[in-house]
Every structure is written in C-alpha cells, then in structure tokens.
Amino acid sequence: MYWDDQLCNMIITETNRYARQNNDQVFQLTREELDQFLGIMFLTGYVSLPRQRMYWEKGEDVNVPVIGKTMPRNRFELIKRYLHFADNEHLPTGDKIAKVRPLFEELNRVLLQFGVIHPQLSIDEQMVPYFGRHSSKMFMKGKPVRFGFKLWVLASSDGYPYQVEMYTGKNAGPGEGRAGCESLGLGGDVVLRLLECLQTPAQHHVFFENYFSSYALMIALRQRGIRATGTVRDNRLKKCPLPDNKTAEKAPRGQHWYQSTNGVLAVKWRDNRAVTVVTNHSDISPLKDVQRWSGDEKKKVTVKQPNLIYEYNQYMGGVDLVDGAVAAYRPVIRWKKWYGTLVTNAFGLLRVASWRMYRSCTGRSVDQLVFTREVALELLKNPRQEPCPPIVTDSGPGPSSGRVTVVSRTAQNHFIVPAATQGRCKLCQKKYAYNV
C-alpha cells in the first residue's frame, strides 16, 4: 500500500527519461528491478559494510550472497546513477529542490491515503544528515545531527508520519508560504500548511515547541477549530503577560502562574527552570502529581504539575520517534548526487509508516528490525526463484529459541490451530515446533 503503482511508475518513467537525456538508449528500468533496488537499500540499513562494492565481494568476512544473487553490481550502480524523480528539461525556476519535489508530493499522498486517524499530533523538525554543498543545507548547533537538510514533519504521538515538508530557506519557494494570507512568521506558517490536510480539525489536538508557538498562531488555530498546545517564548506573549523567568525561578518548585486572554491560556510553571506553555483548549486543572529529585532532601519528592504541561510531555515526542526509527536502520549506501540522502530518508519514512500501520492494524508487537528484514527479503525475491525462507529469530535462552516470526506465519494465512501437545497450521496442516 505504501510502495504503490503510482509512486513506482513515476520513478520508473523519470529514471528512464533521465537515461535517454544522458544518451543511454539501452537502459530500461523495470518494476522488478526497482523493487530489488529498494530491497538492497533496506538491507544495507542493518547489514553495514564500509564500501558499497563489498556487498558483492565473495570474501568470507563480507559475503552477502542474497545481494549478488538478486542483482549484478554494475546494474545496481547504473540504476543508482540514473534514479530520478523529475524531468530536468522542465524544472520550475526558483525551486531549490525541484528534482525531488515530485517525490515529496508522492510521499505525502501515500502517507495520507488512510486519512489522519490519530487524535494527538505533533509538529517538529527532522534533520537529514548531509555534508556536501547545497544552499539548503543547515547547521544546527548543539543538535545530534548538526549538518544536513531540515524537514518539517507532522506525526502522531506514537510515531506515524503524516506530512513532510523540506525547509529551503527563509524566502518561501514553491510549496511554501500562504498566498493571500497574513504571515504568522516562519514557524506559524509551517504549522498552518502542515495542518491543511486535516479533514475534521475538531477531532485533533496538535502539540509543537516554542519555535512555532505564538499568541497570534493560537488565535488563528482557534478560529479554524484546531486545538493546540505548545511551549512558547516570553517575547511572543504580548497579550498574556507573565512573570519573567528570573522572578519565577526564585519561587518554590511546583508553583505556577497563568493569564487568559481571548480563549488563549498561558501558564508558567516552576520546574528545575521556568517553563512557559500556551494553549487554546486545555486547562490547568486537574493538577497532576509528578516525581522530581530534590537535592536538599536527597530523594524524589512529589510536585504539582498543570494538566496542559502534563499533556504536552505525554504527546509531544511523535516526530522524535519517527526520526529515531528512520535513523535506526538508515541505509549506508553513499550517493554522489546531493539529493541521495533525501531519497533514502523518504524510503525510510515509507518503511516506518508501514511498520507503524501494521502494528496498529494487527495488534502484534512486531519488532522494527524483524519487519525491515521481512520487507527487504520480499523485495529482493526474484519471481523466478523459490520464495525466501522465513526469518527465524532467537527468543532468548531456553529450548524454544527458533521461532518463526509473526509476519512470515501470517503472510499466506498460516494460522495456528490449538492442539493438546503441538501447534498445527490451519492451511497446510504442518506441525510447528512450538505450542499455542
């Protein structure tokens, strides 16, 4: 569902066109080869080697037979060379990422194919590592990824991505800005653009950090019927004045101050430091009990926390979960083209989204690594070859260490029928080495 025909046909069409533009009249990419190319990319995310060509070597220390049997090395390098997503002869002027803009549009379409089904959403940034030269490359001091491209991401609280937009600079390019509308600043405009996909705004609650928040943004979201909560900087609360941080940090831990104007509530709470949160929906009550370490008493003490700050801490980290899941098995294949890292990140977002949706729909706690391996082997499978054997994982010490994964067992309706001594497949009546 996430690697659908429309997305693949776009990639195949533009790749073959780019090959013709480079005077290669023989190259022809097929759907089978594109699937295998993606499978190799996924496999390099959890089987890391220092050089690309080592995946095709036959040395005992680096041999990965499944890659060599699936696709020749020269063919893989040729596909990577010609892989394209836009027509170079008709690129829009002024768009810094015109070569990957169609890929981002297809990515957002696929991620939204089921609608926005989670009530709690979060908006934050994702940094894609990149050390080459490009006018959109950012430097973020103090961040885990200091150099790279910045993406704005709308995600659910449990880590499902819904919308992705690349930041190309302060001056709005194609796809950025809101024509005919008063600007709310860079952060406010990003929030309003990402939330345009909501079909029923009243059913969602959005959380974001102080980079985006302002009094004007809360008023604009309230007029659109969107509930929102976020940390905020004091200089953006001109309509809701609160004590400054120096005064607040002299108060005892747990004390709070609040100010409400035109349906917008601003609260400053004394934790280790003063924290300011603004909302157009939530309230202070009921106060929550949270545990904090007391340096004077040398133990954890109970502190009262306003309800809107408790909700913010609980639902804000969705984009961080997406970023962590993508980075956990990011492909190590390097690209000469500047947009290569954006392509691998887009494929990683598709992988994470399908993994999250699979867990939500089936209720099964399938590990991300197991899911990624299953998907990679299925993509690598050649229709002329035998089906790939199921992945067997070690469940820990004990006699039942070789268990077939849930993904493999349910791929072709192989379900276990309860028996007195042994599990038996409902479809093929084969016995399995573990009980129900």
Side-chain angles (χ1 to χ4, degrees), residues 109-118 160-162 197-199 204 357:
R109 177 191 63 81
V110 171
L111 295 177
L112 280 175
Q113 61 181 310
F114 304 112
V116 183
I117 60 178
H118 295 84
Y160 180 89
Y162 281 110
C197 64
L198 299 182
Q199 298 180 353
H204 304 282
M357 186 59 67

Side-chain angles (χ1 to χ4, degrees), residues 129-194:
Y130 177 70
F131 297 95
R133 296 183 179 181
H134 194 270
S135 59
S136 297
K137 186 181 74 171
M138 304 292 296
F139 170 70
M140 304 292 291
K141 184 178 180 179
K143 295 289 186 178
V145 179
R146 297 186 300 163
F147 295 93
F149 298 112
K150 180 190 290 187
L151 305 181
W152 308 120
V153 182
L154 171 67
S156 66
S157 59
D158 61 353
Y160 180 89
Y162 281 110
Q163 285 284 278
V164 180
E165 178 184 303
M166 180 172 168
Y167 175 62
T168 57
K170 188 175 182 180
N171 297 326
E176 300 182 16
R178 297 180 302 119
C181 300
E182 181 181 357
S183 176
L184 297 176
L186 175 60
D189 291 344
V190 167
V191 171
L192 294 181
R193 285 199 305 271
L194 291 178

Side-chain angles (χ1 to χ4, degrees), residues 314-344:
Q314 187 174 7
Y315 299 118
M316 176 54 200
V319 178
D320 293 335
L321 293 177
V322 174
D323 192 16
V326 173
Y329 305 107
R330 192 187 303 274
V332 298
I333 296 293
R334 296 192 177 188
W335 299 65
K336 290 186 177 180
K337 295 183 172 64
W338 64 268
Y339 53 81
T341 182
L342 293 174
V343 174
T344 57

Side-chain angles (χ1 to χ4, degrees), residues 292-338:
R292 293 292 186 271
W293 177 260
S294 174
D296 297 334
E297 301 182 20
K298 304 299 180 182
K299 65 177 183 180
K300 289 186 176 181
V301 296
T302 301
V303 178
K304 295 294 183 180
Q305 184 183 64
N307 180 63
L308 73 165
I309 299 180
Y310 176 82
E311 291 182 348
Y312 177 85
N313 292 335
Q314 187 174 7
Y315 299 118
M316 176 54 200
V319 178
D320 293 335
L321 293 177
V322 174
D323 192 16
V326 173
Y329 305 107
R330 192 187 303 274
V332 298
I333 296 293
R334 296 192 177 188
W335 299 65
K336 290 186 177 180
K337 295 183 172 64
W338 64 268

